[in-house]
Amino acid sequence: MRRTSPAGITFDVLNYAGLALLALLMIFPFWNVLVSSLTAPHLVQEGGMMLWPKEITLIAFKTIVSTPNFVKVFQNTVFITVVGTLLSMLLSVMLAYALSKKRLAGAGLMVFAVFFTMMFHGGIIPSYLLVKNLGLINSLWSLIVPNAINAFNIMILISFFRTLPEELEDSARIDGCNDFGILFLIMAPISMPILATLTLFYAVAQWNMFFQAVMYISNPSNYTLQVLLRQLLIVLTSDAVAASLSEDAPRIGVTVKLAMIVVSSVPILLVYPFLQKHFAKGIMLGSIKG
């Protein structure tokens, strides 16, 4: 309803102004990083905030792209993000749908088992030994399989599936549909908001994979983007290496740090617009019982 009173109009103006200021405070840091990564290194080293690039140069991005194995590493990151997200969503949806049915024998116990893993974890050493015994060390699958299911996301999906009317399933069964048909042909399409939201959660987690990659991967050809950028940062900030390079090497290191933030952030940010229309609605689904 549109406000027509002076008090209502004042409230709207202040509300929009406050939200605009809040959005600016969130956007400006990333904008400053982007601008600085495109600015000449010696100007960035002088410090200060910049609204627009000065002496535009792509030397920082060229340094990153020219790094050995960059293309291979980028492909690895895309692979674990796409395959890992698809596998996670498939397993999560199937598990949550089954556990949402109270008629399933032992459903309550299995839900508790999922919840228990949110509170207690085996630790780093048992996780490493498990991955090693499965023969996944130095394999990209070591970054996909152990992280295939997130207990918190499972609990959200279970809560959501329990809010769906059972009449939909009864009608489908009358039409001869089995459990898989009900799940993938009926429940999944009407659950797109929550599924899109969890897809984004899983994709961001896979894209930002770092600790597990350092722990399980020692072969440089199987590095993820985050690990490669860290290695590049170490090289550029090493006094011994910097001394053997050109005189601009120490300065380049400043802008390379900023360019790395852009390179590691922009690809996953490009996914958000495609899921945004579902995200705002999906994040609240299953959180309120009516």
Side-chain angles (χ1 to χ4, degrees), residues 20-138:
L21 179 60
L22 182 61
L24 182 61
L25 292 175
M26 294 180 178
I27 295 173
F28 181 75
F30 185 79
W31 173 254
N32 183 67
V33 168
L34 177 61
V35 168
S36 299
S37 67
L38 296 172
T39 300
H42 69 277
L43 294 177
V44 177
Q45 200 170 34
E46 294 175 358
M49 293 288 185
M50 287 181 288
L51 295 177
W52 303 105
K54 300 177 182 179
E55 298 183 22
I56 297 177
T57 177
L58 297 177
I59 187 172
F61 292 96
K62 290 180 180 179
T63 302
I64 295 175
V65 175
S66 62
T67 303
N69 290 335
F70 176 80
V71 176
K72 173 64 176 176
V73 168
F74 191 85
Q75 291 174 346
N76 292 341
T77 306
V78 172
F79 174 79
I80 66 171
T81 300
V82 175
V83 176
T85 301
L86 292 177
L87 179 63
S88 295
M89 288 303 301
L90 177 63
L91 296 178
S92 296
V93 169
M94 294 177 65
L95 176 60
Y97 179 72
L99 296 184
S100 68
K101 304 305 173 186
K102 296 182 179 180
R103 65 175 182 272
L104 177 67
L109 181 61
M110 287 184 282
V111 171
F112 174 78
V114 173
F115 177 77
F116 185 82
T117 63
M118 296 174 59
M119 304 292 105
F120 303 95
H121 190 269
I124 296 176
I125 295 178
S127 298
Y128 180 85
L129 293 177
L130 176 61
V131 172
K132 181 181 179 180
N133 291 334
L134 291 175
L136 298 178
I137 296 296
N138 273 325

Side-chain angles (χ1 to χ4, degrees), residues 36 70 98 106 109 142 154 189 227 246:
S36 299
F70 176 80
L109 181 61
S142 65
I154 294 296
V227 177
S246 66

